[in-house]
Amino acid sequence: MPTPAPDLLDELLRTYGPCGEEGAVRDVVRRELEPLADEVHVDPAGNLVALVHGTDRSAPAVRVAAHLDELSMIVKRVEPDGTLRVDSLGVMYPGNFGLGPVAVLGRHRTLTGVLTLGSEHTTPESARIWQTKPDAGDQAMDWTHVYVFTGCTADDLAAAGVHPGTRVCVHADKRGLTRFGDFVGSYFLDDRAALTTLVLAARLLREDGGRPPGDVYLVATTSEEMGGIGAAYASRTLPGDLTVALDVGPAEAEYQVTVDGGPVVAYADDAVVYDRALADALVDLGGELGLDPQTAVWRSFDSDASQAMASGQAARAALLSLPTLSTHGYEVLHTGTVNRTARLLAAFLARPVPPVSG
């Protein structure tokens, strides 16, 4: 059985891919999927679409989506002293990724800066800092409290192509896998672990020349963190009625989901109730394969599939989640999670699509 190269996941984690600028991540995924697909193209929304032809031209087509983008920041304004005021792209706060080095993706040059709050050794005179101190204002740190120190003048930044709208990412120095025991940790396992799962599932699906019953569209999507924009477009323009999303899922007691358990089949999230027949089929298949699938009803959560269905671009939706600690933060996965989830997805795609339940 093929296994995901740790180098692939690590490479994806270290590659910048903020919302709307996912090209570098897309190139890595394209390199991996091209040998496994019959056709590969990039659509007008920036999605990478890899088609694996099925054996039965009358069988329903399936779209499988995993998103390319990462939580990031965007420049709101450039101050006269060369500091940057930033806001978030996607649901994140400064505490999610901590203060420290960032990459400022200028049009002409990528610069290094530091996301900073300021000195702890300050008084109420430094009101912005004072507000966040537990023994003072006790406010949660948000984007109005922090800024990016660049060490550049405003003219230097303009020459590098930095202006309002420029993306800012957690620096590569803070990215990449940390391995400990049976677990790995990193920022941006959401959704780079799912992209790795997508590639591994494609390998499994094509083992020994295997083919799915219907056409399968493996879609690496854009701007999921900003509302599932790429997946909605792909669901509208590609054949088929079904969109299956691959994404992380919170391993929390609230959901009775454990980080070392099997893949999680979602039955609902904030956007939709997922297709019952599809969810049941995934759970049953996971049991057959000895993968100990978990089930969940997610809250404060949606996916490429549920957003596509909620916007009327997909008639049926399913979500397969990788159980993950500390989602949208420094995330943790069990080392077997990618392999187990890929096995379940590949087996699901190798079988006929379950009919709509009554």
Side-chain angles (χ1 to χ4, degrees):
M1 174 185 300
T3 57
D7 289 347
L8 172 58
L9 178 55
D10 197 69
E11 181 182 5
L12 288 168
L13 291 167
R14 294 179 186 276
T15 305
Y16 301 132
C19 295
E21 293 184 19
E22 300 95 336
V25 182
R26 184 175 60 229
D27 289 345
V28 175
V29 179
R30 182 170 194 157
R31 181 194 71 206
E32 298 296 319
L33 285 180
E34 277 188 330
L36 305 170
D38 298 299
E39 302 174 28
V40 177
H41 73 277
V42 176
D43 72 15
N47 300 310
L48 177 70
V49 181
L51 169 60
V52 178
H53 286 305
T55 58
D56 181 357
R57 306 306 289 177
S58 66
V62 179
R63 303 176 293 258
V64 184
H67 65 88
L68 294 162
D69 59 317
E70 65 191 57
L71 294 168
S72 56
M73 294 155 275
I74 189 168
V75 175
K76 184 176 181 180
R77 66 180 180 271
V78 179
E79 302 285 15
D81 65 357
T83 60
L84 306 175
R85 301 309 296 258
V86 295
D87 209 339
S88 64
L89 286 178
V91 180
M92 63 171 283
Y93 305 95
N96 291 66
F97 296 138
L99 307 176
V102 295
V104 182
L105 308 185
R107 290 183 62 191
H108 312 305
R109 187 157 58 97
T110 295
L111 305 175
T112 296
V114 173
L115 183 67
T116 183
L117 170 67
S119 299
E120 179 67 19
H121 301 89
T122 48
T123 69
E125 185 175 347
S126 300
R128 178 180 48 77
I129 304 170
W130 188 256
Q131 289 169 0
T132 68
K133 290 188 175 185
D135 58 349
D138 201 24
Q139 293 184 22
M141 190 193 312
D142 65 25
W143 297 104
T144 65
H145 296 118
V146 298
Y147 63 94
V148 175
F149 176 79
T150 65
C152 297
T153 67
D155 288 342
D156 291 336
L157 294 172
V162 176
H163 51 72
T166 295
R167 276 35 167 206
V168 179
C169 297
V170 173
H171 197 276
D173 287 352
K174 292 183 66 175
R175 302 160 72 118
L177 282 177
T178 298
R179 297 170 175 83
F180 55 106
D182 293 330
F183 300 92
V184 294
S186 179
Y187 299 115
F188 312 117
L189 290 173
D190 174 14
D191 209 23
R192 307 300 161 75
L195 290 170
T196 306
T197 300
L198 189 73
V199 171
L200 177 55
R203 294 178 191 166
L204 290 167
L205 190 63
R206 296 300 303 273
E207 267 191 335
D208 303 321
R211 291 275 177 180
D215 288 348
V216 170
Y217 292 87
L218 304 172
V219 189
T221 62
T222 56
S223 295
E224 187 272 347
E225 299 290 0
M226 296 300 292
I229 296 169
Y233 180 85
S235 296
R236 179 173 66 83
T237 57
L238 292 174
D241 296 320
L242 166 61
T243 298
V244 179
L246 275 176
D247 212 327
V248 299
E252 299 291 344
E254 173 181 348
Y255 303 111
Q256 295 183 317
V257 168
T258 62
V259 70
D260 56 354
V264 185
V265 178
Y267 277 78
D269 65 18
D270 280 351
V272 302
V273 174
Y274 288 98
D275 187 287
R276 177 64 183 266
L278 298 170
D280 286 347
L282 283 164
V283 171
D284 292 345
L285 184 53
E288 288 177 32
L289 296 172
L291 298 175
D292 300 320
Q294 305 180 82
T295 58
V297 172
W298 300 133
R299 287 294 177 255
S300 191
F301 187 103
D302 48 30
S303 74
D304 267 342
S306 66
Q307 291 175 106
M309 186 176 179
S311 62
Q313 309 304 328
R316 307 178 74 188
L319 170 61
L320 192 54
S321 293
L322 290 76
T324 305
L325 281 178
S326 189
T327 55
H328 281 204
Y330 194 86
E331 297 164 332
V332 175
L333 283 178
H334 188 273
T335 53
T337 293
V338 168
N339 188 289
R340 288 192 292 257
T341 308
R343 287 178 59 200
L344 179 51
L345 176 61
F348 176 79
L349 295 174
R351 297 189 177 188
V353 173
V356 178
S357 55

